Amino acid sequence: MRLISIPVSALLPLLPSSPRPLLRRCCLAALPTNGRRLGTEGPAPRPVIGQDSVEVSGHSYPRDDFTNVTPKVLDKVGRNLHNQSHHPLWLIKERIKTHFYSAYVGRWGNPLFSVHDNLSPVVTVEQNFDSLLIPPGHPSRKRGDNYYLNRRRMLRAHTSAHQRELVSSGLDAFLLAGDVYRRDEIDASHYPVFHQMEGVRLFSNHQLFSKVQHGEDLSLFEAGGRRTPQKQEAHSLEAVKLLEFNLKQTLTRLITHLFGEDLEVRWVDCYFPFTHPSFEMEVRFQGDWMEVLGCGVMEQELLNSAGAGNKAGWAFGLGLERLAMVLYGIPDIRLFWSQDERFLKQFRVEDIQHPVCFQPLSKYPPLHNDISFWLPESRESADGRESFTENDFYELVRSVGGDLVEKVSLVDQFTHAKTGRRSQCYRIIYRHMERTLTQQEVRRVHEEIERTAETELGVQGRY
């Protein structure tokens, strides 16, 4: 893996000169798609998990052995924080949208990128995985990492699930914002629901090479090519290098617009099934490198299946929470779901470009409790699924403790020398974002986690 660590200012000479505000860290209304607005009016119906079905956004889906959504997660569906006026996620989405509207204009003065921010988070497994060339058996498909309504439907794990349908509709340049859902660890920067913004831009042969000397002699594609670490078999090396430069230039301009020149950035070579070559952008945050987006040259097979086989393009996906945490100095991802007026009022600014420096609410003390248990003896179920995964335990803790839980970490594990049984010990840190917790109320929650872990996960407590 190649790491490139550079300040944003080092790339500025490569960028076209244009005025942009230099804001220090901490200091969509959607366009129509093909003439129709993507959205609904009024509050969405509350999701319901029944004995035989799951109801989400007014639609009913049959349950089966893959169903693993929880009431606490489904309760977030329809909240659409990115569309709530003056919420910090709305602010950063609007700033990104405004930047693309002003920086990328078509020949008639209209915005080059359209914006779509109200597509349903319920997608098919085919949309979420197959349309993006993610093969069967790929680790990202695991039940333990996703929220499935049933074997055919799920809550999207990334906004890329809509990439093919938007390209198929004839769009060449678009932004897509929405809530996404993943089962994950519990800490200050991970939450089962977060928000992404997807960007896609496609180029015809003329569009990509029009400003290159003798560009008429160059081509997006080459016959008989082979895949290398630098390119796909269908693409010419000249096309890929121009696409990569345009992609990194676009994202560098965006980050500079949001944060100013002094933010330290590095590009990391990585792998995604739907782009090649692929990169991650990381920024320096609180002394550590934090990944804020992934990007790359779109797999040509994906474009071919979407009816755009005569074009090549790039795509990126960024985390709105990650950017907002850096830009506004928000220390804990749970705060985005707070309804505390002391938090929300800080982001009610007249101008979305106005710098906001989050003023922390009173820092209430944490309380921690440990839980130790023997894992189930059988490690794999009849259909090949593991009988216990760490994400199963994290999800159980979230379901019982909700946002009282600040962090869960594995602090000890061992295997019994004679029986071969495995034991794990987790430390659960509890902290309310708006008041002081008592050990008595935390203990009640913790005991419920212990009981539920034994009944639902099949572990044997050691407490």
Side-chain angles (χ1 to χ4, degrees):
M1 179 176 288
R2 175 168 55 92
L3 300 180
I4 307 175
S5 180
I6 55 174
V8 171
S9 56
L11 285 180
L12 291 181
L14 303 176
L15 309 181
S17 59
S18 61
R20 47 189 177 270
L22 300 180
L23 299 180
R24 297 289 185 258
R25 301 183 301 286
C26 196
C27 323
L28 305 147
L31 287 182
T33 297
N34 294 340
R36 73 186 163 86
R37 180 172 173 79
L38 299 173
T40 57
E41 300 299 329
R46 299 280 295 198
V48 177
I49 301 179
Q51 184 175 353
D52 300 314
S53 63
V54 180
E55 294 184 13
V56 187
S57 303
H59 298 277
S60 181
Y61 304 94
R63 295 186 60 169
D64 60 23
D65 62 326
F66 242 59
T67 306
N68 67 350
V69 291
T70 64
K72 275 190 165 56
V73 167
L74 281 184
D75 191 52
K76 309 295 186 185
V77 176
R79 292 279 298 275
N80 295 329
L81 300 182
H82 62 290
N83 287 339
Q84 292 183 15
S85 182
H86 293 93
H87 188 278
L89 296 179
W90 176 87
L91 277 180
I92 200 161
K93 181 202 72 173
E94 290 297 306
R95 291 189 60 188
I96 294 171
K97 182 180 78 173
T98 300
H99 167 72
F100 273 89
Y101 277 1
S102 61
Y104 304 96
V105 179
R107 61 188 300 180
W108 308 113
N110 56 303
L112 187 65
F113 285 80
S114 60
V115 180
H116 313 273
D117 59 6
N118 214 359
L119 293 171
S120 171
V122 177
V123 298
T124 64
V125 172
E126 195 274 340
Q127 283 177 288
N128 200 80
F129 297 119
D130 299 287
S131 76
L132 295 166
L133 312 179
I134 299 173
H138 191 274
S140 66
R141 291 179 178 251
K142 288 193 302 184
R143 183 173 179 268
D145 291 347
N146 300 282
Y147 290 104
Y148 285 92
L149 303 181
N150 52 44
R151 285 184 174 269
R152 295 186 62 250
R153 300 271 180 175
M154 64 186 299
L155 298 178
R156 63 187 170 209
H158 39 218
T159 50
S160 306
H162 302 284
Q163 222 177 75
R164 189 179 66 184
E165 65 190 90
L166 292 179
V167 171
S168 296
S169 73
L171 297 176
D172 284 347
F174 59 85
L175 301 175
L176 167 66
D179 44 333
V180 298
Y181 300 78
R182 295 182 194 170
R183 302 178 76 195
D184 210 338
E185 58 192 293
I186 302 176
D187 59 31
S189 62
H190 291 86
Y191 200 79
V193 188
F194 57 102
H195 298 75
Q196 285 186 338
M197 200 158 190
E198 187 93 2
V200 167
R201 187 172 183 186
L202 307 184
F203 296 84
S204 66
N205 208 86
H206 172 73
Q207 289 169 328
L208 189 63
F209 295 115
S210 62
K211 296 181 180 179
V212 177
Q213 188 174 11
H214 304 302
E216 65 276 7
D217 299 327
L218 300 175
S219 174
L220 293 174
F221 308 109
E222 67 177 17
R226 63 186 182 90
R227 180 171 292 246
T228 70
Q230 290 76 39
K231 63 181 273 311
Q232 299 171 38
E233 49 267 55
H235 295 155
S236 69
L237 185 60
E238 294 84 3
V240 171
K241 289 304 179 184
L242 270 180
L243 287 169
E244 179 183 335
F245 176 79
N246 185 273
L247 170 62
K248 290 182 176 180
Q249 180 189 67
T250 299
L251 295 173
T252 300
R253 291 182 70 180
L254 172 63
I255 293 300
T256 301
H257 168 77
L258 293 175
F259 298 101
E261 298 181 32
D262 61 344
L263 181 69
E264 194 174 0
V265 168
R266 70 180 182 185
W267 293 98
V268 182
D269 289 340
C270 64
Y271 165 79
F272 300 118
F274 36 87
T275 57
H276 180 77
S278 304
F279 316 95
E280 288 178 344
M281 175 191 277
E282 297 181 347
V283 300
R284 178 77 76 173
F285 178 59
Q286 295 181 348
D288 294 319
W289 288 104
M290 183 167 73
E291 182 249 321
V292 292
L293 62 85
C295 62
V297 177
M298 296 176 70
E299 283 284 352
Q300 196 60 35
E301 184 181 342
L302 191 159
L303 294 180
N304 293 345
S305 69
N310 62 330
K311 297 176 181 179
W314 51 249
F316 70 85
L318 55 84
L320 291 178
E321 279 90 346
R322 292 287 178 90
L323 288 182
M325 289 173 79
V326 178
L327 183 63
Y328 302 129
I330 298 173
D332 194 307
I333 196 169
R334 291 176 298 162
L335 279 165
F336 291 103
W337 296 92
S338 173
Q339 298 183 33
D340 191 322
E341 184 63 18
R342 294 173 299 168
F343 173 75
L344 297 173
K345 70 180 182 181
Q346 297 186 42
F347 300 94
R348 295 194 186 109
V349 292
E350 292 184 6
D351 182 352
I352 63 172
Q353 307 294 353
H354 185 78
V356 177
C357 180
F358 171 65
Q359 299 300 315
L361 313 180
S362 298
K363 188 69 171 177
Y364 298 102
L367 295 172
H368 76 264
N369 286 257
D370 292 347
I371 177 172
S372 300
F373 46 72
W374 295 107
L375 301 184
E377 293 189 30
S378 174
R379 296 291 297 157
E380 194 169 278
S381 60
D383 63 357
R385 298 202 304 264
E386 287 187 291
S387 60
F388 176 90
T389 68
E390 286 189 16
N391 278 353
D392 291 335
F393 180 66
Y394 295 147
E395 191 58 37
L396 182 145
V397 173
R398 280 195 180 102
S399 296
V400 176
D403 286 353
L404 292 183
V405 179
E406 178 175 87
K407 185 176 182 180
V408 179
S409 53
L410 180 65
V411 294
D412 186 40
Q413 59 181 329
F414 72 92
T415 302
H416 193 282
K418 293 185 177 179
T419 66
R421 296 187 69 186
R422 296 176 58 216
S423 173
Q424 291 184 342
C425 177
Y426 291 87
R427 175 155 297 166
I428 303 177
I429 298 177
Y430 301 87
R431 192 200 310 259
H432 202 289
M433 303 302 294
E434 298 162 10
R435 63 179 177 84
T436 299
L437 291 172
T438 67
Q439 183 61 50
Q440 183 179 10
E441 62 182 320
V442 164
R443 189 59 207 167
R444 285 197 297 269
V445 174
H446 196 74
E447 288 174 350
E448 180 62 23
I449 291 173
E450 292 173 341
R451 288 191 296 268
T452 309
E454 290 193 342
T455 57
E456 294 192 6
L457 300 182
V459 302
Q460 181 181 345
R462 301 183 63 234
Y463 31 81

